[in-house]
């Protein structure tokens, strides 16, 4: 008889392809805490009904465009319980038999531009710990009234994300912006 030992794997390319796939095939509710949730967050993280999602939907995150309440509403309308935790910076996800812990926010920048890394975990004790961690943060529920209020205050990001220079030494030169213009 063969036993399946828990596995751990690092994903450092196309990390959202793996997270999205795990969310899509989940047969049970999932648990996620992801700091920032952009306008494509609900497509990157297509959670099923009954799932729990904690994000930073604070006024600061919404008015700078790093969390989009419209994407949160789309999940809320599908039966996902959505919560806000200001100053959240965690990125943890627990699906049926796999979890991810890493650097990836649910945003198009994370999916297409940034260098991200996530550890995939299948250990049942660690998955249980991720679920418990998410639930410990799930204290401030976002209902329709709160989402309405946040949507009125949402402002898309004003400044594009810094990009690598076209210069010959592009690996060394980044566009530098003052902290108050970075959307944080």
């Amino acid at each position: 008889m063969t036993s399946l030992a828990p596995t751990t794997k690092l994903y450092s390319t196309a990390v959202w392809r793996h997270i999205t796939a795990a969310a899509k095939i989940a047969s049970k509710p999932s648990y996620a805490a992801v700091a920032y949730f952009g306008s494509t967050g609900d497509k990157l993280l297509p959670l099923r009904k009954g799932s729990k999602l904690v994000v930073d939907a604070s006024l600061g995150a919404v008015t700078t465009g790093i969390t989009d309440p419209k994407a949160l509403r789309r999940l809320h309308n599908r039966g996902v319980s959505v919560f806000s935790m200001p100053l959240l910076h965690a990125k943890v996800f627990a699906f049926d038999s796999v979890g991810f812990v890493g650097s990836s926010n649910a945003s198009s920048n994370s999916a297409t531009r940034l260098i991200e890394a996530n550890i995939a975990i299948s250990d049942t004790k660690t998955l249980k710990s991720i679920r418990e961690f998410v639930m410990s943060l799930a204290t401030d529920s976002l209902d329709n009234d709160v989402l309405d209020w946040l949507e009125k205050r949402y402002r898309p990001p004003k400044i594009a994300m810094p990009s690598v220079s076209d210069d010959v030494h592009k690996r060394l030169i980044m566009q530098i912006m003052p902290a108050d213009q970075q959307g944080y």
Side-chain angles (χ1 to χ4, degrees):
M1 181 172 177
T2 0
S3 69
L4 296 174
T7 59
T8 304
K9 181 174 180 169
L10 173 68
Y11 289 106
S12 58
T13 58
V15 296
W16 273 106
R17 182 173 42 126
H18 302 287
I19 297 169
T20 301
K24 283 182 177 178
I25 64 170
S27 61
K28 297 182 264 185
S30 302
Y31 295 75
V34 55
Y36 303 131
F37 207 83
S39 59
T40 60
D42 58 311
K43 291 175 181 52
L44 292 169
L45 196 59
L47 298 172
R48 67 180 302 111
K49 182 178 183 177
S51 295
K52 309 287 187 232
L53 171 65
V54 181
V55 301
D56 180 349
S58 65
L59 192 56
V62 169
T63 59
T64 57
I66 51 182
T67 294
D68 187 340
K70 289 179 183 168
L72 298 175
R73 183 184 299 278
R74 290 190 291 268
L75 286 178
H76 175 75
N77 288 345
R78 285 189 235 155
V80 174
S81 298
V82 181
F83 303 85
S84 179
M85 177 57 66
L87 303 178
L88 178 68
H89 201 254
K91 290 94 176 168
V92 298
F93 312 88
F95 304 106
D96 292 0
S97 59
V98 66
F100 296 88
V101 176
S103 63
S104 303
N105 285 308
S107 70
S108 59
N109 280 330
S110 176
T112 62
R113 298 183 78 185
L114 297 173
I115 299 167
E116 302 283 12
N118 286 272
I119 297 284
I121 303 152
S122 67
D123 174 63
T124 55
K125 288 182 182 178
T126 304
L127 288 170
K128 181 180 181 211
S129 293
I130 292 171
R131 290 181 184 103
E132 289 170 351
F133 174 69
V134 170
M135 290 309 298
S136 76
L137 301 174
T139 58
D140 187 8
S141 180
L142 302 182
D143 60 17
N144 282 319
D145 291 339
V146 173
L147 290 167
D148 288 342
W149 187 84
L150 289 171
E151 282 182 25
K152 290 175 188 169
R153 284 147 183 84
Y154 175 75
R155 299 292 176 264
K158 290 182 183 177
I159 297 174
M161 179 177 193
S163 60
V164 176
S165 168
D166 289 332
D167 188 274
V168 176
H169 303 288
K170 62 184 174 186
R171 72 184 187 281
L172 303 175
I173 302 172
M174 291 281 297
Q175 175 184 349
I176 304 299
M177 305 172 84
D180 64 337
Q181 293 180 350
Q182 293 180 11
Y184 300 103

